[in-house]
Amino acid sequence: MEYKARKFSQGSYDHSDKYAKDLFINYICKKGHTIISEEENYDHDIITEKDNIKYYFELETKSRYPFTSRETFKFNSVSFLGRKKRLHLKNRFHYIIICRETEFALTCDSEDIFKDEYIENLYINTANRNGKDQMYRVPKEKCIFFNIK
């Protein structure tokens, strides 16, 4: 049976999108990147260029489980949204998860995320999300943790 993701949550998106983009753009520009696109087009969240190389980024925020490092990250694995695999099929990208409480982040390359061995199908039932979801649970050792400020 084919996997069908739960319905998109506009409220959750509105809560996180501008915050994540503003924080990340400030960070990545300090690293010498030039912003090519941050347009909302249901493609990669941000596209940059540095040294004539294009970089693609997908941003997400998390709360309720603050972290500042791999050691303070509460879980053994990091959950990445399965529906983002469609972006990986277009362009390899850096998946960034920003902790709202600490403004630290973690990243993993999409080539290291979207592997069959990491797939887990879940049923989500929270205040603003409800339904089936597919996650890729990647060991936290494969992620890079950093201060985004």
PDB file of all heavy atoms in Angstrom, residues 1-34:
ATOM      1  N   MET A   1       0.843  -1.178   0.000  1.00  0.00           N
ATOM      2  CA  MET A   1       0.000   0.000   0.000  1.00  0.00           C
ATOM      3  C   MET A   1       0.895   1.250   0.000  1.00  0.00           C
ATOM      4  O   MET A   1       1.864   1.323   0.736  1.00  0.00           O
ATOM      5  CB  MET A   1      -0.913  -0.014   1.233  1.00  0.00           C
ATOM      6  CG  MET A   1      -1.752   1.222   1.322  1.00  0.00           C
ATOM      7  SD  MET A   1      -3.053   1.282   2.575  1.00  0.00           S
ATOM      8  CE  MET A   1      -2.517   0.275   3.882  1.00  0.00           C
ATOM      9  N   GLU A   2       0.524   2.232  -0.798  1.00  0.00           N
ATOM     10  CA  GLU A   2       1.304   3.463  -0.908  1.00  0.00           C
ATOM     11  C   GLU A   2       1.074   4.358   0.298  1.00  0.00           C
ATOM     12  O   GLU A   2      -0.040   4.485   0.798  1.00  0.00           O
ATOM     13  CB  GLU A   2       0.911   4.210  -2.181  1.00  0.00           C
ATOM     14  CG  GLU A   2       1.748   5.437  -2.428  1.00  0.00           C
ATOM     15  CD  GLU A   2       1.380   6.138  -3.724  1.00  0.00           C
ATOM     16  OE1 GLU A   2       0.991   5.446  -4.668  1.00  0.00           O
ATOM     17  OE2 GLU A   2       1.477   7.365  -3.764  1.00  0.00           O
ATOM     18  N   TYR A   3       2.142   4.999   0.768  1.00  0.00           N
ATOM     19  CA  TYR A   3       2.072   5.910   1.906  1.00  0.00           C
ATOM     20  C   TYR A   3       1.457   7.230   1.484  1.00  0.00           C
ATOM     21  O   TYR A   3       1.794   7.783   0.452  1.00  0.00           O
ATOM     22  CB  TYR A   3       3.484   6.146   2.458  1.00  0.00           C
ATOM     23  CG  TYR A   3       3.568   7.320   3.386  1.00  0.00           C
ATOM     24  CD1 TYR A   3       3.065   7.239   4.672  1.00  0.00           C
ATOM     25  CD2 TYR A   3       4.108   8.519   2.970  1.00  0.00           C
ATOM     26  CE1 TYR A   3       3.128   8.316   5.523  1.00  0.00           C
ATOM     27  CE2 TYR A   3       4.173   9.606   3.815  1.00  0.00           C
ATOM     28  CZ  TYR A   3       3.672   9.489   5.084  1.00  0.00           C
ATOM     29  OH  TYR A   3       3.731  10.570   5.920  1.00  0.00           O
ATOM     30  N   LYS A   4       0.514   7.742   2.283  1.00  0.00           N
ATOM     31  CA  LYS A   4      -0.089   9.051   2.034  1.00  0.00           C
ATOM     32  C   LYS A   4       0.055   9.872   3.306  1.00  0.00           C
ATOM     33  O   LYS A   4      -0.432   9.499   4.364  1.00  0.00           O
ATOM     34  CB  LYS A   4      -1.573   8.898   1.655  1.00  0.00           C
ATOM     35  CG  LYS A   4      -2.215  10.202   1.273  1.00  0.00           C
ATOM     36  CD  LYS A   4      -3.626   9.942   0.781  1.00  0.00           C
ATOM     37  CE  LYS A   4      -4.345  11.078   0.323  1.00  0.00           C
ATOM     38  NZ  LYS A   4      -4.659  12.226   0.421  1.00  0.00           N
ATOM     39  N   ALA A   5       0.743  11.003   3.192  1.00  0.00           N
ATOM     40  CA  ALA A   5       1.021  11.839   4.366  1.00  0.00           C
ATOM     41  C   ALA A   5      -0.243  12.494   4.888  1.00  0.00           C
ATOM     42  O   ALA A   5      -1.200  12.723   4.156  1.00  0.00           O
ATOM     43  CB  ALA A   5       2.036  12.911   4.000  1.00  0.00           C
ATOM     44  N   ARG A   6      -0.200  12.840   6.167  1.00  0.00           N
ATOM     45  CA  ARG A   6      -1.316  13.552   6.784  1.00  0.00           C
ATOM     46  C   ARG A   6      -1.463  14.928   6.149  1.00  0.00           C
ATOM     47  O   ARG A   6      -0.576  15.417   5.456  1.00  0.00           O
ATOM     48  CB  ARG A   6      -1.088  13.683   8.288  1.00  0.00           C
ATOM     49  CG  ARG A   6       0.118  14.544   8.583  1.00  0.00           C
ATOM     50  CD  ARG A   6       0.269  14.821  10.049  1.00  0.00           C
ATOM     51  NE  ARG A   6       1.582  15.335  10.324  1.00  0.00           N
ATOM     52  CZ  ARG A   6       1.993  16.565  10.018  1.00  0.00           C
ATOM     53  NH1 ARG A   6       1.189  17.399   9.427  1.00  0.00           N
ATOM     54  NH2 ARG A   6       3.209  16.949  10.309  1.00  0.00           N
ATOM     55  N   LYS A   7      -2.572  15.576   6.419  1.00  0.00           N
ATOM     56  CA  LYS A   7      -2.861  16.890   5.859  1.00  0.00           C
ATOM     57  C   LYS A   7      -1.890  17.946   6.403  1.00  0.00           C
ATOM     58  O   LYS A   7      -1.530  17.946   7.569  1.00  0.00           O
ATOM     59  CB  LYS A   7      -4.298  17.276   6.221  1.00  0.00           C
ATOM     60  CG  LYS A   7      -4.768  18.538   5.569  1.00  0.00           C
ATOM     61  CD  LYS A   7      -6.210  18.853   5.942  1.00  0.00           C
ATOM     62  CE  LYS A   7      -6.597  20.195   5.369  1.00  0.00           C
ATOM     63  NZ  LYS A   7      -7.832  20.691   5.907  1.00  0.00           N
ATOM     64  N   PHE A   8      -1.484  18.837   5.528  1.00  0.00           N
ATOM     65  CA  PHE A   8      -0.602  19.954   5.866  1.00  0.00           C
ATOM     66  C   PHE A   8      -1.266  20.835   6.923  1.00  0.00           C
ATOM     67  O   PHE A   8      -2.458  21.112   6.864  1.00  0.00           O
ATOM     68  CB  PHE A   8      -0.345  20.756   4.587  1.00  0.00           C
ATOM     69  CG  PHE A   8       0.430  22.025   4.805  1.00  0.00           C
ATOM     70  CD1 PHE A   8       1.791  21.982   5.059  1.00  0.00           C
ATOM     71  CD2 PHE A   8      -0.195  23.254   4.735  1.00  0.00           C
ATOM     72  CE1 PHE A   8       2.509  23.152   5.243  1.00  0.00           C
ATOM     73  CE2 PHE A   8       0.521  24.429   4.919  1.00  0.00           C
ATOM     74  CZ  PHE A   8       1.871  24.372   5.170  1.00  0.00           C
ATOM     75  N   SER A   9      -0.481  21.293   7.902  1.00  0.00           N
ATOM     76  CA  SER A   9      -0.996  22.157   8.966  1.00  0.00           C
ATOM     77  C   SER A   9      -0.517  23.591   8.747  1.00  0.00           C
ATOM     78  O   SER A   9       0.624  23.921   9.057  1.00  0.00           O
ATOM     79  CB  SER A   9      -0.523  21.640  10.329  1.00  0.00           C
ATOM     80  OG  SER A   9      -0.859  22.556  11.342  1.00  0.00           O
ATOM     81  N   GLN A  10      -1.390  24.447   8.235  1.00  0.00           N
ATOM     82  CA  GLN A  10      -1.036  25.841   7.957  1.00  0.00           C
ATOM     83  C   GLN A  10      -0.654  26.575   9.242  1.00  0.00           C
ATOM     84  O   GLN A  10       0.284  27.357   9.252  1.00  0.00           O
ATOM     85  CB  GLN A  10      -2.190  26.560   7.261  1.00  0.00           C
ATOM     86  CG  GLN A  10      -1.851  27.973   6.812  1.00  0.00           C
ATOM     87  CD  GLN A  10      -0.834  27.996   5.679  1.00  0.00           C
ATOM     88  OE1 GLN A  10      -0.979  27.281   4.703  1.00  0.00           O
ATOM     89  NE2 GLN A  10       0.202  28.809   5.812  1.00  0.00           N
ATOM     90  N   GLY A  11      -1.352  26.311  10.332  1.00  0.00           N
ATOM     91  CA  GLY A  11      -1.057  26.982  11.601  1.00  0.00           C
ATOM     92  C   GLY A  11       0.346  26.671  12.100  1.00  0.00           C
ATOM     93  O   GLY A  11       1.072  27.560  12.547  1.00  0.00           O
ATOM     94  N   SER A  12       0.729  25.412  12.018  1.00  0.00           N
ATOM     95  CA  SER A  12       2.064  25.007  12.432  1.00  0.00           C
ATOM     96  C   SER A  12       3.116  25.652  11.530  1.00  0.00           C
ATOM     97  O   SER A  12       4.147  26.146  12.006  1.00  0.00           O
ATOM     98  CB  SER A  12       2.176  23.482  12.366  1.00  0.00           C
ATOM     99  OG  SER A  12       3.442  23.065  12.758  1.00  0.00           O
ATOM    100  N   TYR A  13       2.847  25.683  10.255  1.00  0.00           N
ATOM    101  CA  TYR A  13       3.757  26.307   9.292  1.00  0.00           C
ATOM    102  C   TYR A  13       3.927  27.799   9.588  1.00  0.00           C
ATOM    103  O   TYR A  13       5.048  28.304   9.653  1.00  0.00           O
ATOM    104  CB  TYR A  13       3.223  26.102   7.870  1.00  0.00           C
ATOM    105  CG  TYR A  13       4.003  26.855   6.834  1.00  0.00           C
ATOM    106  CD1 TYR A  13       5.176  26.333   6.319  1.00  0.00           C
ATOM    107  CD2 TYR A  13       3.575  28.098   6.390  1.00  0.00           C
ATOM    108  CE1 TYR A  13       5.904  27.020   5.377  1.00  0.00           C
ATOM    109  CE2 TYR A  13       4.301  28.794   5.450  1.00  0.00           C
ATOM    110  CZ  TYR A  13       5.467  28.257   4.945  1.00  0.00           C
ATOM    111  OH  TYR A  13       6.182  28.952   4.021  1.00  0.00           O
ATOM    112  N   ASP A  14       2.819  28.504   9.781  1.00  0.00           N
ATOM    113  CA  ASP A  14       2.865  29.944  10.040  1.00  0.00           C
ATOM    114  C   ASP A  14       3.671  30.262  11.298  1.00  0.00           C
ATOM    115  O   ASP A  14       4.383  31.263  11.356  1.00  0.00           O
ATOM    116  CB  ASP A  14       1.454  30.518  10.175  1.00  0.00           C
ATOM    117  CG  ASP A  14       0.685  30.512   8.861  1.00  0.00           C
ATOM    118  OD1 ASP A  14       1.320  30.382   7.787  1.00  0.00           O
ATOM    119  OD2 ASP A  14      -0.545  30.633   8.908  1.00  0.00           O
ATOM    120  N   HIS A  15       3.563  29.397  12.291  1.00  0.00           N
ATOM    121  CA  HIS A  15       4.258  29.598  13.567  1.00  0.00           C
ATOM    122  C   HIS A  15       5.779  29.517  13.411  1.00  0.00           C
ATOM    123  O   HIS A  15       6.519  30.171  14.137  1.00  0.00           O
ATOM    124  CB  HIS A  15       3.772  28.550  14.572  1.00  0.00           C
ATOM    125  CG  HIS A  15       4.436  28.610  15.908  1.00  0.00           C
ATOM    126  ND1 HIS A  15       4.240  29.644  16.795  1.00  0.00           N
ATOM    127  CD2 HIS A  15       5.307  27.769  16.505  1.00  0.00           C
ATOM    128  CE1 HIS A  15       4.958  29.429  17.883  1.00  0.00           C
ATOM    129  NE2 HIS A  15       5.614  28.296  17.730  1.00  0.00           N
ATOM    130  N   SER A  16       6.232  28.745  12.449  1.00  0.00           N
ATOM    131  CA  SER A  16       7.658  28.436  12.371  1.00  0.00           C
ATOM    132  C   SER A  16       8.414  29.023  11.193  1.00  0.00           C
ATOM    133  O   SER A  16       9.607  29.276  11.297  1.00  0.00           O
ATOM    134  CB  SER A  16       7.831  26.916  12.334  1.00  0.00           C
ATOM    135  OG  SER A  16       7.345  26.348  13.511  1.00  0.00           O
ATOM    136  N   ASP A  17       7.777  29.211  10.064  1.00  0.00           N
ATOM    137  CA  ASP A  17       8.491  29.517   8.827  1.00  0.00           C
ATOM    138  C   ASP A  17       9.321  30.800   8.894  1.00  0.00           C
ATOM    139  O   ASP A  17      10.529  30.773   8.661  1.00  0.00           O
ATOM    140  CB  ASP A  17       7.520  29.573   7.646  1.00  0.00           C
ATOM    141  CG  ASP A  17       8.243  29.738   6.330  1.00  0.00           C
ATOM    142  OD1 ASP A  17       9.013  28.836   5.965  1.00  0.00           O
ATOM    143  OD2 ASP A  17       8.050  30.780   5.670  1.00  0.00           O
ATOM    144  N   LYS A  18       8.721  31.924   9.197  1.00  0.00           N
ATOM    145  CA  LYS A  18       9.438  33.200   9.205  1.00  0.00           C
ATOM    146  C   LYS A  18      10.538  33.200  10.272  1.00  0.00           C
ATOM    147  O   LYS A  18      11.650  33.644  10.030  1.00  0.00           O
ATOM    148  CB  LYS A  18       8.487  34.370   9.414  1.00  0.00           C
ATOM    149  CG  LYS A  18       9.201  35.722   9.378  1.00  0.00           C
ATOM    150  CD  LYS A  18       8.252  36.880   9.422  1.00  0.00           C
ATOM    151  CE  LYS A  18       8.872  38.232   9.469  1.00  0.00           C
ATOM    152  NZ  LYS A  18      10.287  38.406   9.327  1.00  0.00           N
ATOM    153  N   TYR A  19      10.219  32.683  11.442  1.00  0.00           N
ATOM    154  CA  TYR A  19      11.190  32.600  12.528  1.00  0.00           C
ATOM    155  C   TYR A  19      12.435  31.830  12.072  1.00  0.00           C
ATOM    156  O   TYR A  19      13.566  32.287  12.227  1.00  0.00           O
ATOM    157  CB  TYR A  19      10.552  31.925  13.744  1.00  0.00           C
ATOM    158  CG  TYR A  19      11.529  31.525  14.818  1.00  0.00           C
ATOM    159  CD1 TYR A  19      12.020  32.460  15.714  1.00  0.00           C
ATOM    160  CD2 TYR A  19      11.979  30.204  14.913  1.00  0.00           C
ATOM    161  CE1 TYR A  19      12.931  32.093  16.702  1.00  0.00           C
ATOM    162  CE2 TYR A  19      12.882  29.830  15.890  1.00  0.00           C
ATOM    163  CZ  TYR A  19      13.354  30.774  16.783  1.00  0.00           C
ATOM    164  OH  TYR A  19      14.257  30.409  17.743  1.00  0.00           O
ATOM    165  N   ALA A  20      12.235  30.646  11.515  1.00  0.00           N
ATOM    166  CA  ALA A  20      13.356  29.806  11.095  1.00  0.00           C
ATOM    167  C   ALA A  20      14.155  30.461   9.975  1.00  0.00           C
ATOM    168  O   ALA A  20      15.384  30.469  10.006  1.00  0.00           O
ATOM    169  CB  ALA A  20      12.841  28.432  10.656  1.00  0.00           C
ATOM    170  N   LYS A  21      13.465  31.006   8.996  1.00  0.00           N
ATOM    171  CA  LYS A  21      14.163  31.641   7.873  1.00  0.00           C
ATOM    172  C   LYS A  21      14.983  32.840   8.329  1.00  0.00           C
ATOM    173  O   LYS A  21      16.143  32.987   7.941  1.00  0.00           O
ATOM    174  CB  LYS A  21      13.171  32.064   6.785  1.00  0.00           C
ATOM    175  CG  LYS A  21      12.720  30.916   5.921  1.00  0.00           C
ATOM    176  CD  LYS A  21      11.794  31.393   4.815  1.00  0.00           C
ATOM    177  CE  LYS A  21      11.399  30.250   3.920  1.00  0.00           C
ATOM    178  NZ  LYS A  21      10.434  30.651   2.893  1.00  0.00           N
ATOM    179  N   ASP A  22      14.403  33.701   9.138  1.00  0.00           N
ATOM    180  CA  ASP A  22      15.137  34.881   9.613  1.00  0.00           C
ATOM    181  C   ASP A  22      16.401  34.478  10.376  1.00  0.00           C
ATOM    182  O   ASP A  22      17.479  35.023  10.149  1.00  0.00           O
ATOM    183  CB  ASP A  22      14.253  35.757  10.498  1.00  0.00           C
ATOM    184  CG  ASP A  22      13.166  36.490   9.729  1.00  0.00           C
ATOM    185  OD1 ASP A  22      13.214  36.506   8.478  1.00  0.00           O
ATOM    186  OD2 ASP A  22      12.262  37.046  10.379  1.00  0.00           O
ATOM    187  N   LEU A  23      16.260  33.536  11.282  1.00  0.00           N
ATOM    188  CA  LEU A  23      17.392  33.087  12.088  1.00  0.00           C
ATOM    189  C   LEU A  23      18.464  32.436  11.216  1.00  0.00           C
ATOM    190  O   LEU A  23      19.656  32.742  11.340  1.00  0.00           O
ATOM    191  CB  LEU A  23      16.888  32.105  13.152  1.00  0.00           C
ATOM    192  CG  LEU A  23      17.793  31.785  14.316  1.00  0.00           C
ATOM    193  CD1 LEU A  23      18.150  33.034  15.108  1.00  0.00           C
ATOM    194  CD2 LEU A  23      17.112  30.779  15.235  1.00  0.00           C
ATOM    195  N   PHE A  24      18.045  31.558  10.320  1.00  0.00           N
ATOM    196  CA  PHE A  24      19.011  30.843   9.487  1.00  0.00           C
ATOM    197  C   PHE A  24      19.690  31.759   8.468  1.00  0.00           C
ATOM    198  O   PHE A  24      20.905  31.641   8.244  1.00  0.00           O
ATOM    199  CB  PHE A  24      18.354  29.656   8.775  1.00  0.00           C
ATOM    200  CG  PHE A  24      19.340  28.820   8.031  1.00  0.00           C
ATOM    201  CD1 PHE A  24      20.222  27.993   8.715  1.00  0.00           C
ATOM    202  CD2 PHE A  24      19.424  28.877   6.652  1.00  0.00           C
ATOM    203  CE1 PHE A  24      21.166  27.236   8.037  1.00  0.00           C
ATOM    204  CE2 PHE A  24      20.359  28.131   5.961  1.00  0.00           C
ATOM    205  CZ  PHE A  24      21.227  27.304   6.653  1.00  0.00           C
ATOM    206  N   ILE A  25      18.950  32.654   7.856  1.00  0.00           N
ATOM    207  CA  ILE A  25      19.541  33.569   6.868  1.00  0.00           C
ATOM    208  C   ILE A  25      20.619  34.422   7.531  1.00  0.00           C
ATOM    209  O   ILE A  25      21.706  34.619   6.967  1.00  0.00           O
ATOM    210  CB  ILE A  25      18.457  34.427   6.184  1.00  0.00           C
ATOM    211  CG1 ILE A  25      17.671  33.544   5.203  1.00  0.00           C
ATOM    212  CG2 ILE A  25      19.063  35.636   5.483  1.00  0.00           C
ATOM    213  CD1 ILE A  25      16.432  34.197   4.636  1.00  0.00           C
ATOM    214  N   ASN A  26      20.350  34.922   8.714  1.00  0.00           N
ATOM    215  CA  ASN A  26      21.356  35.698   9.447  1.00  0.00           C
ATOM    216  C   ASN A  26      22.614  34.851   9.666  1.00  0.00           C
ATOM    217  O   ASN A  26      23.735  35.314   9.457  1.00  0.00           O
ATOM    218  CB  ASN A  26      20.772  36.181  10.769  1.00  0.00           C
ATOM    219  CG  ASN A  26      21.735  37.053  11.532  1.00  0.00           C
ATOM    220  OD1 ASN A  26      22.266  38.025  11.010  1.00  0.00           O
ATOM    221  ND2 ASN A  26      21.965  36.702  12.793  1.00  0.00           N
ATOM    222  N   TYR A  27      22.422  33.610  10.073  1.00  0.00           N
ATOM    223  CA  TYR A  27      23.541  32.703  10.335  1.00  0.00           C
ATOM    224  C   TYR A  27      24.335  32.391   9.060  1.00  0.00           C
ATOM    225  O   TYR A  27      25.562  32.513   9.023  1.00  0.00           O
ATOM    226  CB  TYR A  27      23.005  31.396  10.952  1.00  0.00           C
ATOM    227  CG  TYR A  27      24.028  30.307  11.059  1.00  0.00           C
ATOM    228  CD1 TYR A  27      24.931  30.274  12.119  1.00  0.00           C
ATOM    229  CD2 TYR A  27      24.091  29.297  10.099  1.00  0.00           C
ATOM    230  CE1 TYR A  27      25.880  29.268  12.217  1.00  0.00           C
ATOM    231  CE2 TYR A  27      25.041  28.286  10.195  1.00  0.00           C
ATOM    232  CZ  TYR A  27      25.924  28.278  11.250  1.00  0.00           C
ATOM    233  OH  TYR A  27      26.864  27.278  11.350  1.00  0.00           O
ATOM    234  N   ILE A  28      23.652  31.995   8.009  1.00  0.00           N
ATOM    235  CA  ILE A  28      24.334  31.513   6.803  1.00  0.00           C
ATOM    236  C   ILE A  28      25.036  32.653   6.056  1.00  0.00           C
ATOM    237  O   ILE A  28      26.088  32.450   5.447  1.00  0.00           O
ATOM    238  CB  ILE A  28      23.372  30.705   5.896  1.00  0.00           C
ATOM    239  CG1 ILE A  28      24.146  29.745   4.987  1.00  0.00           C
ATOM    240  CG2 ILE A  28      22.448  31.590   5.092  1.00  0.00           C
ATOM    241  CD1 ILE A  28      24.733  28.565   5.675  1.00  0.00           C
ATOM    242  N   CYS A  29      24.481  33.862   6.126  1.00  0.00           N
ATOM    243  CA  CYS A  29      25.136  35.005   5.483  1.00  0.00           C
ATOM    244  C   CYS A  29      26.458  35.339   6.181  1.00  0.00           C
ATOM    245  O   CYS A  29      27.430  35.723   5.526  1.00  0.00           O
ATOM    246  CB  CYS A  29      24.211  36.215   5.444  1.00  0.00           C
ATOM    247  SG  CYS A  29      22.883  36.031   4.218  1.00  0.00           S
ATOM    248  N   LYS A  30      26.512  35.156   7.496  1.00  0.00           N
ATOM    249  CA  LYS A  30      27.761  35.367   8.234  1.00  0.00           C
ATOM    250  C   LYS A  30      28.827  34.348   7.839  1.00  0.00           C
ATOM    251  O   LYS A  30      30.014  34.579   8.041  1.00  0.00           O
ATOM    252  CB  LYS A  30      27.517  35.287   9.746  1.00  0.00           C
ATOM    253  CG  LYS A  30      26.758  36.468  10.306  1.00  0.00           C
ATOM    254  CD  LYS A  30      26.525  36.289  11.784  1.00  0.00           C
ATOM    255  CE  LYS A  30      25.717  37.429  12.364  1.00  0.00           C
ATOM    256  NZ  LYS A  30      25.389  37.195  13.786  1.00  0.00           N
ATOM    257  N   LYS A  31      28.394  33.231   7.270  1.00  0.00           N
ATOM    258  CA  LYS A  31      29.319  32.186   6.811  1.00  0.00           C
ATOM    259  C   LYS A  31      29.745  32.408   5.356  1.00  0.00           C
ATOM    260  O   LYS A  31      30.403  31.557   4.764  1.00  0.00           O
ATOM    261  CB  LYS A  31      28.668  30.799   6.943  1.00  0.00           C
ATOM    262  CG  LYS A  31      28.269  30.427   8.354  1.00  0.00           C
ATOM    263  CD  LYS A  31      29.491  30.182   9.197  1.00  0.00           C
ATOM    264  CE  LYS A  31      29.114  29.718  10.584  1.00  0.00           C
ATOM    265  NZ  LYS A  31      30.263  29.630  11.471  1.00  0.00           N
ATOM    266  N   GLY A  32      29.341  33.543   4.775  1.00  0.00           N
ATOM    267  CA  GLY A  32      29.785  33.883   3.426  1.00  0.00           C
ATOM    268  C   GLY A  32      28.867  33.456   2.303  1.00  0.00           C
ATOM    269  O   GLY A  32      29.217  33.585   1.130  1.00  0.00           O
ATOM    270  N   HIS A  33      27.683  32.975   2.622  1.00  0.00           N
ATOM    271  CA  HIS A  33      26.726  32.568   1.592  1.00  0.00           C
ATOM    272  C   HIS A  33      25.931  33.778   1.092  1.00  0.00           C
ATOM    273  O   HIS A  33      25.667  34.710   1.850  1.00  0.00           O
ATOM    274  CB  HIS A  33      25.735  31.541   2.152  1.00  0.00           C
ATOM    275  CG  HIS A  33      26.328  30.200   2.386  1.00  0.00           C
ATOM    276  ND1 HIS A  33      25.965  29.089   1.667  1.00  0.00           N
ATOM    277  CD2 HIS A  33      27.262  29.765   3.275  1.00  0.00           C
ATOM    278  CE1 HIS A  33      26.639  28.036   2.085  1.00  0.00           C
ATOM    279  NE2 HIS A  33      27.437  28.425   3.079  1.00  0.00           N
ATOM    280  N   THR A  34      25.535  33.715  -0.156  1.00  0.00           N
ATOM    281  CA  THR A  34      24.631  34.696  -0.755  1.00  0.00           C
ATOM    282  C   THR A  34      23.279  34.011  -0.952  1.00  0.00           C
ATOM    283  O   THR A  34      23.221  32.894  -1.470  1.00  0.00           O
ATOM    284  CB  THR A  34      25.164  35.175  -2.123  1.00  0.00           C
ATOM    285  OG1 THR A  34      26.462  35.738  -1.925  1.00  0.00           O
ATOM    286  CG2 THR A  34      24.243  36.187  -2.758  1.00  0.00           C
TER     287      THR A  34
END
